[in-house]
Amino acid sequence: MKVIALKDLGFDYGDGWVFHKLNIEIDEGDFVAVIGANGAGKSTLLKMLARLVPPTEGTVEYYGQDIRDFDRWDWIGYVPQNPGKSSLDFPVSVEEVVTMGLLQPRSILHRTTAADRQRIDEVLGFFGLTELRKRRMKELSGGQQQKVFLARAMVKKPKILLLDEPSTAMDGRTKTALYDYLQRINREKGVTVVMVSHDLELASRSAKSALCLDHGVCFWGDVQGALQHHHHHGYFYR
């Protein structure tokens, strides 16, 4: 089943196309790594999928429905770049952050049910966070914080998970553990994953497909083909 379709998608900040005429269909259960040069529009594309940035041209479809009409946002989990800044400003606990994932958009009122609490327990257990549930976010390591934000995105059992640079500022062992969790989410839970990443080696081990953006030109296909495209063009990664 096709779960995401990009049709003639393009974005222009006003000084030229970042990407243009992007046509891609993503299957249910795929794990897509979005790679490419700095400034090629990777994060912008993910923000379009999260409906945070409108395209300059073309359309995004979820399950055959235009994103502007799509209303099943409980099916979409989104973890932006550096999501921890706001959480660290307030004395919130791990459990409170994960519970926020159950809130409806634009709603601050939500009384947790027994089913909600069971789901929170399950997702904390899956990510190995049970013993940390009462800890303040600012007391956690960067890797632990990122697992909390993944748990927040997963608590509503999304069908699609969007991740923007999930392993920034992590050491090698923590990155590997994070990608192991993402593989489990994809393979055991059947969640379709779309992930922007600079960690090409780890991404290539986890991903099934890859989109390589190159300032208006793109490669879409298997991971090894995308990596060859990347090496041929000699992209610079920070």
Side-chain angles (χ1 to χ4, degrees):
M1 177 194 294
K2 306 293 182 188
V3 296
I4 301 173
L6 312 182
K7 297 186 175 181
D8 289 329
L9 197 68
F11 187 77
D12 182 358
Y13 279 112
D15 55 358
W17 294 105
V18 179
F19 50 81
H20 188 47
K21 299 291 183 186
L22 207 55
N23 286 281
I24 291 169
E25 291 184 334
I26 297 174
D27 290 327
E28 184 175 41
D30 205 347
F31 189 135
V32 181
V34 182
I35 63 175
N38 292 318
K42 302 183 298 296
S43 291
T44 299
L45 176 61
L46 213 69
K47 288 174 181 174
M48 283 185 187
L49 293 177
R51 204 182 172 185
L52 298 173
V53 173
T56 306
E57 69 169 15
T59 57
V60 175
E61 292 183 358
Y62 280 121
Y63 298 91
Q65 188 174 26
D66 192 298
I67 192 172
R68 290 168 292 188
D69 302 318
F70 185 71
D71 61 0
R72 292 306 309 264
W73 286 98
D74 56 316
W75 290 1
I76 314 297
Y78 174 55
V79 182
Q81 273 192 48
N82 302 313
K85 291 179 181 177
S86 60
S87 297
L88 300 182
D89 292 336
F90 299 97
V92 291
S93 70
V94 168
E95 189 170 10
E96 287 168 336
V97 170
V98 173
T99 302
M100 290 174 193
L102 295 170
L103 292 177
Q104 296 300 316
R106 294 176 293 279
S107 170
I108 59 171
L109 299 174
H110 180 88
R111 181 172 294 175
T112 54
T113 65
D116 289 339
R117 290 189 290 275
Q118 181 180 353
R119 179 59 188 156
I120 291 165
D121 289 344
E122 287 173 359
V123 79
L124 288 172
F126 180 84
F127 287 103
L129 295 167
T130 302
E131 293 183 2
L132 299 174
R133 66 191 305 155
K134 299 300 182 184
R135 281 275 189 93
R136 301 280 177 88
M137 286 293 289
K138 61 184 178 182
E139 297 171 357
L140 303 185
S141 69
Q144 289 170 331
Q145 289 173 12
Q146 194 68 357
K147 284 201 293 184
V148 175
F149 296 118
L150 270 174
R152 181 180 67 181
M154 287 297 298
V155 73
K156 58 187 174 180
K157 296 186 178 180
K159 296 176 181 290
I160 298 171
L161 184 61
L162 309 173
L163 301 156
D164 195 354
E165 294 285 3
S167 60
T168 303
M170 288 184 182
D171 61 36
R173 181 182 296 179
T174 310
K175 284 182 182 181
T176 301
L178 175 70
Y179 279 79
D180 286 344
Y181 275 111
L182 295 178
Q183 275 193 329
R184 286 184 62 197
I185 288 168
N186 174 242
R187 294 173 184 177
E188 294 176 19
K189 310 288 186 185
V191 175
T192 305
V193 178
V194 181
M195 174 187 66
V196 172
S197 180
H198 278 144
D199 298 303
L200 298 184
E201 183 181 343
L202 282 169
S204 67
R205 274 192 252 156
S206 303
K208 301 172 184 174
S209 305
L211 170 63
C212 187
L213 294 176
D214 177 22
H215 300 292
V217 179
C218 81
F219 174 90
W220 167 245
D222 65 89
V223 175
Q224 292 307 314
L227 290 177
Q228 288 172 9
H229 185 86
H230 149 71
H231 290 307
H232 176 73
H233 287 268
Y235 297 138
F236 170 67
Y237 288 85
R238 284 183 294 196

